[in-house]
Amino acid sequence: MVTLKNYMEEVVLNLLRGVLEDMDMCKCELCVMDVAALALNDLPPKYIVTEKGELYSKVNSLRNQFEVDVIASITKAAVAVKKSPRHN
């Protein structure tokens, strides 16, 4: 099966928990997904067309190119969510 995928989403989701471990903030599902959404909106999409089995190997090989920018975007998003979480 051929798939169209924004691999930046995979990169963000793979790095997200590691970045958030070092931050003193709420880690409920809503806050974590808000951080992911804000980070992804800050990063350029990187679409690939691939066979299902190739997706993860492509994502991992390309992730290194963007890792620093992704970590910076996740951190920036986490600071924003920590400052204004959408729950009490």
Side-chain angles (χ1 to χ4, degrees), residues 2-83:
V2 177
T3 305
L4 175 67
K5 179 73 177 169
N6 176 5
Y7 74 78
M8 194 60 81
E9 184 177 332
E10 291 293 323
V11 174
V12 167
L13 293 176
N14 284 331
L15 293 172
L16 187 61
R17 295 283 178 187
V19 173
L20 294 182
E21 275 181 19
D22 297 332
M23 300 199 69
D24 179 28
M25 65 171 286
C26 176
K27 294 173 183 74
C28 74
E29 186 177 5
L30 178 60
C31 287
V32 170
M33 288 297 107
D34 281 347
V35 171
L38 285 172
L40 284 164
N41 283 330
D42 191 47
L43 293 162
K46 300 291 181 192
Y47 287 96
I48 55 174
V49 175
T50 182
E51 296 288 327
K52 187 177 181 183
E54 294 175 38
L55 180 60
Y56 292 103
S57 61
K58 257 192 185 176
V59 167
N60 287 332
S61 68
L62 296 169
R63 180 173 75 180
N64 294 335
Q65 295 175 24
F66 303 101
E67 202 164 290
V68 172
D69 291 338
V70 170
I71 290 170
S73 289
I74 291 170
T75 302
K76 180 176 148 186
V79 169
V81 170
K82 180 180 177 179
K83 192 175 188 180

